[in-house]
Amino acid sequence: MVNISVLVSGGGTNLQAIIDNIESGELSGARIVQVISSREGVFSLERAAKAGIKGKVAKDTKQLLEQLAAENTDLIVLAGYMKVLEPEVIGAYRRRILNIHPSLIPKYCGKGFYGKRVHQAVLDGGETVSGATVHFVDEGVDTGEIILQRQVPVEPDDTADTLAARVLETEHVILSEGIKKVMAQLPEKGGL
Ligand code: GAR
């Protein structure tokens, strides 16, 4: 079993998609050992509790590293995690940290591009296509190697909200696909 720690900061629809895909067998060979939030009181923690998964809040990097080690974490999935991980965390889990980003990286990513802002920028840029990207996390912001990307059309009457909703549906699919791809390449499975 691959032990996944999911890091969150908000509502957690991507977390829910992973939980559902594990439960349905769509994503097999993995279990979520804990959900770690960057802040208290987020709905993601309720989703974790409902699914019988431990929920924690990490107040700093030291605590986060302790929590990750305590559950023998193999993979870290950032699912709407709005903090930038310190290099210590990246170094300890090189090529074992995945992030989902709501655009076609390298477009509309990096510092300041998160959540709704990404979709507004896509609309302001006059794009006809957007999408979502699963990538490894390195020391930069959204600069790590791309694992998987999928396009989503931008409709002429889109608002940031309608575009966000369409992209989110795709995120829910490709995040689990990306996890599967990385799981198959783990050194303990003979990969990398
Ligand atoms: C998702 O759209 C995710 O791609 C985005 O935040 C949303 C979280 O939604 N992440 C970023 O913008 C990271 N730069 P969720 O909490 O419902 O999964």
Side-chain angles (χ1 to χ4, degrees), residues 38-136:
S38 59
R39 54 199 183 104
E40 309 264 0
V42 298
F43 192 59
S44 286
L45 292 172
E46 287 184 41
R47 292 183 192 272
K50 198 159 169 248
I53 299 167
K54 282 180 207 168
K56 301 175 186 171
V57 175
K59 65 175 189 335
D60 56 28
T61 296
K62 184 172 172 283
Q63 195 178 28
L64 176 61
L65 282 167
E66 285 166 4
Q67 290 165 337
L68 291 168
E71 301 297 336
N72 298 314
T73 301
D74 297 308
L75 286 183
I76 301 171
V77 175
L78 310 188
Y81 185 70
M82 296 304 172
K83 276 175 91 169
V84 176
L85 289 173
E86 296 292 335
E88 284 166 87
V89 183
I90 316 271
Y93 293 91
R94 178 88 44 206
R95 289 179 75 82
R96 287 172 181 271
I97 312 175
L98 290 73
N99 180 46
I100 179 87
H101 183 80
S103 79
L104 295 174
I105 291 176
K107 285 187 155 184
Y108 306 103
C109 65
K111 212 162 171 262
F113 283 106
Y114 55 85
K116 206 67 64 64
R117 291 172 184 226
V118 175
H119 305 293
Q120 192 55 55
V122 168
L123 295 177
D124 293 346
E127 303 286 346
T128 54
V129 173
S130 189
T133 304
V134 182
H135 65 94
F136 283 116

